[in-house]
Amino acid sequence: MLTIKTGPFNDQKPGTSGLRKKVTRFQTPGYLENFVQSIFDVAEDLRGGTLVLGGDGRYYNDVAIQTILSIAAANGVAKSIVGQGGLFSTPAISNIIRKYKAQGGIVLSASHNPGGPNGDFGIKFNGQNGGPASEAMTNAIFETSKIITHYKTLQAEDIDLSELGIFTLGDMVVEIIDPVKDYAELMESLFDFAAIKDWTADNHSLCFDAMHAITGPYAKAILKDTLGAPDKALMNCTPLPDFGGHHPDPNPIYAKDLFDKMMLPDGPDFGAASDGDGDRNIILGRGGFVSPSDSVAVLAANAHLVPAYKAGLTGVARSMPTSAALDRVAQKLGIAHFETPTGWKFFGNLLDAGRISLCGEESAGTSSDHVREKDGLWAVLMWLNILAVRRQSVKEIMLAHWQEYGRNFYARHDYEAVETEKANAVMAHLRAQVSDLAGKGFGSEVVKFADSFTYHDPIDGSVSENQGLRVGFESGSRFVMRLSGTGTVGATLRLYIERYVQGPAGLEEDHTAVLEPILQIAKEISDIEALTGREHASLVT
Ligand code: G1P
Ligand code: ZN
C-alpha cells in the first residue's frame, strides 16, 4: 500500500449531480484520486463494507475504475461489486446498492454531457439507500477535498473487467457481475410484462433510442429479448465511449432521428430515448413528444393500472421548477404533494420515509420508490404498461388528461456558457426585486408571490436556501430562474416558463405563442437580454 502526496484542489464544488468536469481535468495527476480519497474519508462505513462501482462507459470510465479500485482496496473496503466492462446504468447501481445491502456506490458519468477525450467526465457518490449523497455529505466531501494532502492506493495489476467472477485486489474482494440481470428482474417484478407483450404483438410498434449510451444493453435484454420488440425498434443500442460524437441528451436536437421518425404519419405508436447514464427519459407518441412535467403527472394519474402501484400512491413530489401538472393530479387523488429543490437527492428522504412513491423533474427525470435514482427505462415501461391497459394512443391519453386537469404549458430556456459574472448579475438583479414584486401588474398578469426558494426538509429538518428565484402570477402562470449546477463551461442560466390553461387545450395549440407573454414578462423583470448580451436562449426544451 502506498500513501501518495497530493495537493488539495479548490474547484471541486460538486453540482446538482456530483462532480463534473472536462476529461482533461480528471486526467490531471491526483485530481480524481483527491476526490475519491475524500469520499472514503467521509463515508467511514465503507471501511470493512461493500462498494458498488460502475459507469456509463464513457471515455475514461475504464481508467477511473482501476484507480478507484486501488484506492478502495487501500482504504480497507472489504468488497467491491463492479459491473462487467465497468458498466452500470445509474438506476441499476441504485438497485444493486439496495439489493446487496452495500454501504455505498460510486457512479461514473457526466449524464447527458458529451463524452470522448475532449468531452466531460463525472463522479458521484451514492449512499446506502442507493440515492445520491445528501447535501451535508456532499459538502463534507468537498471540504475534505480542499484540505487533504495524501491519498492511499494499492499498487497492483489492473483487474480484467471483462470477465464475470470473483477476484481479489490486496485484501479486497472484487466481484464482477452482469450489469443488466438484477435490473431486468426488478422491472419484471413491477410491470405486467404479459400485457405489454400482447400490446406489442397486437400490431403496435415502438422505438427506443439509447443514443449509443448505457441503456443499449438494458433495452436489448428487456424490450427485445423479453418483450418481443423487433430489432428495428432499437436505435443506437451499442454503447460507445464518445456516444458516436453526439450528446447523449434525449431532446429534439440531439435525438433528432427519433423525433423525425415519430413525426411521420406512419411512424411508431410509441417512442422513447434515454440519456448517457440511463436515468433520464423522453416519451413520444406519433406526432409529438410529452413534456416531462406532463409525463410525471400522467404516470401519477394512471399508476393504479400498473401492478406495482395498484394499491395507490402514498404521495408525489416534483422539483420546484417542474410544472404544477403533478400537483393537480395529487389534489384530485387526495394524496400529499411536495415541492423540492432541483436535484434527485432531495427526493431521497421522502422516499425513504414512505411519504412519496413517485416523483419527477422537468429535466426528463422520473422514478418511484423502487430505486433512489431517476430511471429512464422504468418510465418507458410505465408508459408501455399504461398504453397496454388503456389501449389508447399517447395523443389520446394526453388530450384526455388535459381535458380533465387543464394544461400547464411549459418551456425551459437555457442560456448556456454565459460569463459567470454576467449570469450572477442577472440573478442578483432579479433577487433584489423579488421581495416587492407581489401585487404588481404586467400586462394582464398580476404577481401573486415572488421569492428565493428555500426548502425545509420535512424528514430531517435540514434547510436548503437559494434554490432558485420564482415569480408566480394570480392566473397560475409562473417563471423561475436559477443557475445550473451541472454545466462545465462558464455558467448556465435556466429560465422556466409555465402557463396554466383550464379546460380543453389540444396538441394543436401553438405552444410558443401561449408562453410568449410570460416569457416577455420574465425578460422584462430579469433584464436578462441587456445583462447577458444575449437576445435568445441557446436551447429551448
Ligand atoms: C440538471 C437538471 C436537474 C437534474 C440534474 C442532474 O441540473 O436541471 O433537474 O437533477 O441536471 O441530472 P442543473 O444543471 O439544472 O443544476
Ligand atoms: Zn443522466
Side-chain angles (χ1 to χ4, degrees):
M1 190 183 88
L2 286 174
T3 300
I4 298 176
K5 223 170 148 49
T6 177
F9 290 91
N10 292 316
D11 65 341
Q12 296 189 329
K13 178 73 184 169
T16 347
S17 205
L19 179 65
R20 269 184 216 175
K21 296 282 170 191
K22 291 274 166 218
V23 166
T24 46
R25 185 73 179 129
F26 274 100
Q27 287 168 328
T28 311
Y31 186 83
L32 172 67
E33 291 85 345
N34 166 293
F35 192 73
V36 174
Q37 182 63 51
S38 304
I39 293 175
F40 289 113
D41 284 351
V42 172
E44 284 170 358
D45 48 358
L46 282 171
R47 194 177 308 277
T50 300
L51 173 78
V52 183
L53 178 60
D56 63 7
R58 67 177 58 227
Y59 185 84
Y60 209 57
N61 193 70
D62 48 354
V63 178
I65 291 206
Q66 302 291 351
T67 304
I68 296 167
L69 284 175
S70 300
I71 299 177
N75 277 278
V77 171
K79 181 177 180 182
S80 285
I81 302 177
V82 187
Q84 189 178 20
L87 302 178
F88 267 133
S89 75
T90 294
I93 288 210
S94 185
N95 178 45
I96 298 288
I97 296 172
R98 296 165 67 76
K99 183 167 176 180
Y100 298 106
K101 306 206 174 346
Q103 278 62 46
I106 292 180
V107 187
L108 301 174
S109 172
S111 192
H112 52 288
N113 293 17
N118 300 312
D120 294 336
F121 192 72
I123 177 167
K124 175 171 94 162
F125 179 66
N126 283 22
Q128 58 182 357
N129 73 345
S134 65
E135 276 258 278
M137 190 162 217
T138 308
N139 288 339
I141 293 170
F142 174 53
E143 292 308 323
T144 304
S145 77
K146 291 198 289 192
I147 53 168
I148 60 167
T149 53
H150 295 78
Y151 68 91
K152 292 182 203 156
T153 190
L154 188 85
Q155 267 196 322
E157 295 273 296
D158 281 0
I159 294 269
D160 180 358
L161 301 175
S162 67
E163 296 279 329
L164 291 176
I166 294 180
F167 307 89
T168 53
L169 191 64
D171 293 333
M172 181 174 78
V173 171
V174 179
E175 184 174 4
I176 313 266
I177 67 167
D178 177 346
V180 176
K181 189 171 158 281
D182 297 271
Y183 179 82
E185 281 170 15
L186 174 64
M187 293 301 114
E188 193 149 12
S189 74
L190 302 174
F191 299 106
D192 187 347
F193 273 17
I196 302 176
K197 262 194 234 173
D198 285 350
W199 181 84
T200 323
D202 199 9
N203 230 358
H204 291 103
S205 52
L206 68 97
C207 187
F208 178 78
D209 187 352
M211 307 193 80
H212 290 304
I214 192 68
T215 45
Y218 294 85
K220 277 187 195 157
I222 299 170
L223 300 178
K224 185 176 156 231
D225 300 343
T226 309
L227 294 172
D231 271 322
K232 67 168 194 243
L234 303 182
M235 295 169 73
N236 305 320
C237 277
T238 305
L240 297 173
D242 66 348
F243 310 117
H246 303 294
H247 291 222
D249 191 354
N251 66 34
I253 295 157
Y254 299 119
K256 188 171 183 306
D257 291 351
L258 171 72
F259 277 72
D260 286 350
K261 208 169 175 169
M262 296 304 298
M263 294 313 142
L264 298 173
D266 58 347
D269 295 292
F270 176 82
S274 196
D275 71 333
D277 60 328
D279 58 353
R280 294 188 181 198
N281 72 89
I282 187 80
I283 302 295
L284 300 97
R286 192 182 300 120
F289 75 99
V290 181
S291 140
S293 292
D294 276 344
S295 179
V296 64
V298 169
L299 294 187
N302 292 279
H304 61 282
L305 304 176
V306 176
Y309 313 97
K310 67 171 184 289
L313 305 172
T314 54
V316 293
R318 62 167 172 86
S319 67
M320 182 274 281
T322 303
S323 94
L326 180 63
D327 305 14
R328 298 185 188 280
V329 174
Q331 277 151 6
K332 195 146 192 174
L333 292 173
I335 56 174
H337 59 96
F338 299 86
E339 187 177 37
T340 58
T342 296
W344 205 261
K345 59 178 174 256
F346 293 100
F347 295 131
N349 281 345
L350 294 167
L351 288 162
D352 285 348
R355 300 281 286 275
I356 59 168
S357 29
L358 194 140
C359 46
E361 292 191 278
E362 52 68 39
S363 53
T366 332
S367 196
S368 84
D369 51 8
H370 69 290
V371 285
R372 293 294 179 273
E373 283 282 2
K374 53 198 173 213
D375 189 345
L377 271 171
W378 169 89
V380 171
L381 292 165
M382 276 296 274
W383 265 96
L384 285 172
N385 199 149
I386 291 165
L387 290 173
V389 175
R390 286 186 57 167
R391 295 281 170 153
Q392 286 171 305
S393 69
V394 172
K395 182 174 176 176
E396 284 163 348
I397 289 177
M398 291 318 301
L399 290 173
H401 189 88
W402 294 328
Q403 179 85 42
E404 185 170 355
Y405 298 94
R407 182 171 175 188
N408 292 72
F409 285 89
Y410 190 84
R412 185 174 98 183
H413 292 239
D414 292 334
Y415 294 75
E416 296 165 310
V418 175
E419 290 93 321
T420 308
E421 310 83 74
K422 290 185 178 172
N424 289 339
V426 177
M427 291 300 287
H429 181 66
L430 183 56
R431 182 172 289 113
Q433 298 173 69
V434 286
S435 53
D436 33 63
L437 277 176
K440 284 197 178 149
F442 296 87
S444 60
E445 299 283 352
V446 176
V447 177
K448 187 175 180 189
F449 72 93
D451 64 4
S452 169
F453 180 53
T454 298
Y455 180 60
H456 297 266
D457 187 304
I459 311 299
D460 67 14
S462 60
V463 178
S464 304
E465 291 179 325
N466 293 324
Q467 299 297 320
L469 301 169
R470 48 181 192 172
V471 179
F473 301 94
E474 297 286 354
S475 62
S477 300
R478 182 181 78 147
F479 77 87
V480 170
M481 179 106 73
R482 57 178 283 280
L483 281 171
S484 155
T486 60
T488 54
V489 185
T492 295
L493 271 170
R494 300 203 198 282
L495 171 59
Y496 310 79
I497 312 283
E498 178 175 355
R499 185 161 175 208
Y500 180 63
V501 178
Q502 227 167 354
L507 270 180
E508 291 72 26
E509 208 104 4
D510 183 350
H511 187 261
T512 313
V514 171
L515 292 170
E516 188 61 22
I518 308 296
L519 176 63
Q520 288 312 325
I521 296 171
K523 285 186 171 179
E524 182 187 332
I525 300 179
S526 66
D527 212 10
I528 191 166
E529 289 185 6
L531 291 171
T532 62
R534 305 261 185 110
E535 263 181 54
H536 303 287
S538 38
L539 182 66
V540 180
T541 48

